[in-house]
């Protein structure tokens, strides 16, 4: 890195994008938007996220990340709209998903990946349980036994 000032160093930022091969690329960018470095972030392809929400009996949210084209999943309680980066990274590692960055860059890369996951997650509202339920816009629906429910999704979170 050939940055002129300490202030310029403080303005560098990290970003993630998906390439043509369906891999996430981790970039370190200068303040002017030019790229200082970039590399594949994960040891897998097909990373995506889904954010399930249910408003009954209280607002509950579950962030589900998957990779290798939905062959692997990790569920996170996102009801408080906060997940600690170290917890996020540890859970991904336990399930075989590794960040391919240096040890000192891991926490920042996990933070950027978490932000990317939430920003680009497909949002799906689901009922808490089977039967009649009211969505967040006040419309009534009936959840049959072939529907995903928050109770089921929430039970998949490993605490």
């Amino acid at each position: 890195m050939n940055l002129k000032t300490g202030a310029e160093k403080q303005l560098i930022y990290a970003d993630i994008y998906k390439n043509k091969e369906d891999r996430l690329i981790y970039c370190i960018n200068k303040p002017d938007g030019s790229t200082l470095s970039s590399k594949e972030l994960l040891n897998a392809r097909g990373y995506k996220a889904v954010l399930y929400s249910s408003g009954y009996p209280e607002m509950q949210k579950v962030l589900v990340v998957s990779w290798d084209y939905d062959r692997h999943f990790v569920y996170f309680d996102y009801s408080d709209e906060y997940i600690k980066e170290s917890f996020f990274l540890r859970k991904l590692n336990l399930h075989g998903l590794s960040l391919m960055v240096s040890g000192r860059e891991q926490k920042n890369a996990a933070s950027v990946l978490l932000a990317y996951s939430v920003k680009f997650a497909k949002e799906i509202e689901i009922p808490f349980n089977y039967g009649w339920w009211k969505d967040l816009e006040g419309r009534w629906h009936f959840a049959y036994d072939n529907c995903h429910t928050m109770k089921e999704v929430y039970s998949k979170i490993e605490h």
Side-chain angles (χ1 to χ4, degrees):
M1 281 190 243
N2 190 12
L3 298 176
K4 296 177 183 154
T5 67
E8 193 174 18
K9 286 180 184 177
Q10 291 178 344
L11 294 174
I12 63 171
Y13 64 95
D15 199 6
I16 294 177
Y17 71 89
K18 191 176 281 196
N19 70 7
K20 290 185 267 186
E21 290 83 36
D22 209 19
R23 291 194 177 272
L24 294 184
I25 306 299
Y26 180 69
C27 301
I28 303 296
N29 300 306
K30 291 185 193 178
D32 66 5
S34 60
T35 300
L36 282 169
S37 66
S38 65
K39 65 187 308 182
E40 287 184 11
L41 178 60
L42 303 173
N43 64 335
R45 294 180 184 205
Y47 181 92
K48 68 178 184 178
V50 176
L51 183 60
Y52 290 104
S53 63
S54 176
Y56 175 83
E58 59 189 32
M59 180 54 76
Q60 291 183 312
K61 294 182 181 181
V62 174
L63 179 68
V64 181
V65 296
S66 66
W67 60 95
D68 284 341
Y69 305 102
D70 294 334
R71 289 199 318 234
H72 305 280
F73 296 90
V74 181
Y75 294 74
F76 298 92
D77 184 350
Y78 195 65
S79 297
D80 296 332
E81 297 189 356
Y82 178 76
I83 300 169
K84 192 171 181 178
E85 294 89 357
S86 57
F87 178 74
F88 182 70
L89 180 59
R90 187 171 67 246
K91 296 284 280 188
L92 295 180
N93 286 335
L94 283 172
H95 288 271
L97 187 64
S98 300
L99 277 68
M100 300 185 336
V101 295
S102 68
R104 67 174 191 258
E105 190 66 24
Q106 291 252 330
K107 186 174 180 181
N108 186 54
S111 177
V112 176
L113 179 59
L114 179 56
Y116 174 90
S117 301
V118 171
K119 181 177 181 180
F120 293 105
K122 180 179 179 181
E123 294 187 42
I124 302 174
E125 185 180 359
I126 59 175
F128 179 76
N129 228 339
Y130 300 116
W132 285 104
W133 67 286
K134 190 188 286 190
D135 66 21
L136 296 173
E137 295 178 0
R139 296 179 301 219
W140 285 95
H141 305 273
F142 191 83
Y144 294 94
D145 58 1
N146 62 347
C147 295
H148 266 45
T149 65
M150 184 57 79
K151 194 173 185 179
E152 292 170 342
V153 171
Y154 209 78
S155 72
K156 295 179 182 180
I157 298 172
E158 299 167 12
H159 295 281

